[in-house]
Amino acid sequence: MFRRKAYDRLLAWKGADDRTAMLIEGARRVGKSTVAEEFAKNEYESYALIDFTRVDAEFKQTFLDLRNDLDGLFLYLSAALGVTLTQHQSLVIFDEVQMFPPAREFIKHLVADGRFDYIETGSLISINANVKDILIPSEEESMRMGPMDFEEFLWAMGEDALVRMIRHAFDSGVALPDSLHRKASRLWREYMLVGGMPQAVAAYAPARNMAAADRAKRLVLKLYREDIGKYGGLAAKRVRAVFDAIPGQLAKHEKKLVYTQVEEGSRSRDFMTAFAWMREAATVNLCTLAEDPSLGLALSADDTVVKCYMADTGLLSTMAFSADGTSLPDVYRQVLLGADGVNEGMLAENAVAQQLAAAGHDLYFYAKSSNVREERMEIDFLIVRPYPDAAMKPRISPIEVKSGKRYSTISLDKFRAKFASRTGEEYVLHPRPMAKKDHRRLLPLYMSFCL
């Protein structure tokens, strides 16, 4: 199994004094079940894994019949699954718990009993579709798990030492030596194409087989499209239209979603249900316009103006360049070589969005349209970070993503001029080595996971 940050969060949960169950939720195929079982194997004497996509009707009925007889229930689980459960030393995993909601509701009583620990896993789209008839237990906490970020990708590629060097460089403000910068940049380009879906990384890592990674990604995309039809309900048509339009929208200079280009004659309100579904499915990262940037970015959010990024950049590269699967496109080779003629802006910006989302940031951007040129600007991302020049008090940090080595920072200059009292450290993410200019840090793209 690949090293995942979710494992560390599970360790913190296990070591806490609070008595709760942990629900691992997220998009399909991001590794939720794998990390839960690996955690069980390593951190407990024994574990019981109940996969509710595989158990039969008799198992479910027996589970229901024994809810008032916990001694009998645990004996039954031990016998049916062939495991020995030891009090305070065993873990019970309810895998794909959305397929049997009564088990999730019963977590309240199982946690109160206190004999064992409990982890649940589930996909968000079907979790939220199957809770209307149950009481969500307050004894349940949750964590979202997504595709692998760049740091996890480097771990999978055996580059642990390089990860430590990148973090040290970010913290110390001293750029990596040129040789390591070139190596990290090459691996970042690989990541933009392979992405962070565990199946794709597993196919790619042993021999850097891009064709195998592409096959794995196409299978995931097929599954996601099937889920839209299965769970999308009345919004399925618009969800599918937005999903398929993402590469085309991101390829444009103006990356905001234009509704009429997705569906002729449509308006923003026509897509609100579709966006809500896509947020639950966790297959996209929606970046919302903040009309009046402040520490409470959500307070001025306009949910009708969004940029729609794929949750995994590797899936985006396959959608954009290799959807038919007949052969690997030449653009892959050009991206890997860092060819000057390739416009990597779509992939770079999507990959940065993926890093920020993985780090726990809600995604916001700022844009100002005006007939006056001096007032027009667009900032790719806004996050809140401690500002060293303000005694580490939080400030808005604007982020610009630049895929080419030649660029301007006019929008950043205008943003600071307009929102000086709210603005902290600015970031330019670009292909060059790290540098600092006054209140602006210029970071190589591969350092975006550090923010």
Side-chain angles (χ1 to χ4, degrees):
M1 180 196 128
F2 296 125
R3 179 182 173 188
R4 301 299 303 271
K5 296 177 181 179
Y7 194 103
D8 296 330
R9 294 186 62 184
L10 290 175
L11 282 174
W13 162 76
K14 185 175 186 290
D17 292 333
D18 297 337
R19 183 174 292 177
T20 60
M22 175 61 79
L23 171 65
I24 308 174
E25 55 187 2
R28 298 245 266 162
R29 312 299 294 177
V30 296
K32 303 182 297 295
S33 302
T34 301
V35 75
E37 187 167 10
E38 189 71 13
F39 182 74
K41 289 177 181 177
N42 295 339
E43 308 299 333
Y44 291 87
E45 286 187 5
S46 64
Y47 69 97
L49 174 62
I50 306 168
D51 183 347
F52 284 111
T53 64
R54 296 186 177 184
V55 296
D56 56 23
E58 180 186 60
F59 183 98
K60 293 178 181 178
Q61 188 58 53
T62 305
F63 187 99
L64 292 174
D65 293 342
L66 292 174
R67 283 185 298 177
N68 294 321
D69 178 11
L70 290 184
D71 291 337
L73 175 62
F74 295 138
L75 286 172
Y76 173 73
L77 293 180
S78 296
L81 301 173
V83 299
T84 299
L85 296 175
T86 305
Q87 289 193 36
H88 309 302
Q89 300 296 328
S90 295
L91 175 71
V92 178
I93 302 172
F94 288 167
D95 198 22
E96 303 294 350
V97 70
Q98 77 276 4
M99 303 304 295
F100 191 53
R104 186 180 179 194
E105 185 175 40
F106 195 49
I107 279 290
K108 175 182 181 69
H109 304 286
L110 294 173
V111 170
D113 174 71
R115 277 179 253 191
F116 311 115
D117 289 348
Y118 298 88
I119 289 177
E120 308 157 273
T121 76
S123 299
L124 281 166
I125 47 173
S126 40
I127 281 181
N128 292 335
N130 288 306
V131 296
K132 61 180 183 298
D133 296 324
I134 70 169
L135 179 66
I136 303 299
S138 58
E139 293 77 11
E140 173 190 275
E141 58 181 288
S142 64
M143 57 180 273
R144 285 206 176 191
M145 186 174 176
M148 300 164 75
D149 68 5
F150 184 55
E151 185 171 25
E152 292 173 314
F153 177 81
L154 289 178
W155 291 336
M157 299 298 290
E159 298 289 352
D160 299 52
L162 181 59
V163 169
R164 292 192 292 271
M165 280 294 296
I166 291 172
R167 283 207 174 270
H168 175 73
F170 177 83
D171 293 337
S172 65
V174 179
L176 290 179
D178 287 345
S179 60
L180 289 182
H181 170 73
R182 290 193 297 270
K183 180 179 182 180
S185 297
R186 186 188 71 246
L187 285 161
W188 171 260
R189 292 193 293 271
E190 292 178 38
Y191 175 75
M192 286 196 298
L193 297 176
V194 176
M197 299 305 290
Q199 304 94 316
V201 177
Y204 179 75
R208 281 179 158 77
N209 189 332
M210 190 64 72
D214 235 30
R215 286 193 294 271
K217 289 185 289 175
R218 281 194 292 273
L219 289 174
V220 175
L221 287 169
K222 180 176 181 290
L223 179 66
Y224 284 179
R225 289 192 172 96
E226 290 172 350
D227 282 346
I228 292 172
K230 185 175 181 180
Y231 299 108
L234 297 176
K237 181 180 178 181
R238 286 197 171 106
V239 171
R240 187 178 294 109
V242 173
F243 190 80
D244 290 339
I246 290 173
Q249 293 288 330
L250 293 181
K252 298 174 182 177
H253 176 73
E254 177 64 66
K255 292 180 172 59
K256 294 195 292 288
L257 192 67
V258 180
Y259 300 100
T260 54
Q261 293 178 0
V262 177
E263 181 182 300
E264 188 175 351
S266 63
R267 294 168 293 179
S268 59
R269 67 183 185 185
D270 297 328
F271 285 85
M272 291 303 100
T273 301
F275 287 153
W277 189 93
M278 295 175 85
R279 281 192 176 96
E280 290 183 0
T283 54
V284 300
N285 288 319
L286 295 179
C287 185
T288 308
L289 172 68
E291 295 184 303
D292 184 24
S294 63
L295 293 182
L297 287 167
L299 297 177
S300 67
D302 182 352
D303 291 332
T304 67
V305 184
V306 298
K307 295 189 289 186
C308 193
Y309 299 102
M310 285 296 294
D312 180 68
T313 305
L315 297 182
L316 174 65
S317 69
T318 296
M319 290 175 70
F321 306 125
S322 186
D324 60 5
T326 54
S327 62
L328 281 179
D330 185 59
V331 69
Y332 276 24
R333 181 183 63 82
Q334 295 181 57
V335 170
L336 290 172
L337 293 175
D340 291 335
V342 178
N343 180 8
E344 298 179 8
M346 172 179 64
L347 297 180
E349 192 169 323
N350 198 99
V352 170
Q354 185 173 344
Q355 308 316 297
L356 296 177
H361 296 289
D362 293 325
L363 299 184
Y364 295 95
F365 73 101
Y366 179 76
K368 177 69 173 178
S369 299
S370 174
N371 294 325
V372 181
R373 182 179 179 182
E374 288 71 21
E375 295 179 359
R376 291 197 300 268
M377 70 182 98
E378 181 163 347
I379 304 297
D380 294 326
F381 301 103
L382 301 173
I383 62 175
V384 176
R385 282 183 60 84
Y387 186 30
D389 290 354
M392 299 308 288
K393 293 179 180 178
R395 293 288 187 272
I396 296 292
S397 283
I399 300 173
E400 284 275 74
V401 180
K402 307 295 183 181
S403 59
K405 294 181 179 179
R406 296 180 180 179
Y407 56 82
S408 70
T409 57
I410 295 174
S411 284
L412 279 179
D413 299 335
K414 292 178 181 178
F415 187 88
R416 178 166 286 276
K418 183 171 183 176
F419 301 109
S421 63
R422 312 177 192 178
T423 304
E425 202 159 38
E426 305 166 6
Y427 297 98
V428 176
L429 297 170
H430 65 170
R432 295 180 178 277
M434 182 170 61
K436 184 173 176 62
K437 297 179 180 178
D438 298 324
H439 40 253
R440 182 174 297 168
R441 292 187 70 181
L442 296 88
L443 304 176
L445 286 156
Y446 56 76
M447 277 190 185
S448 53
F449 73 86
C450 298
L451 291 173

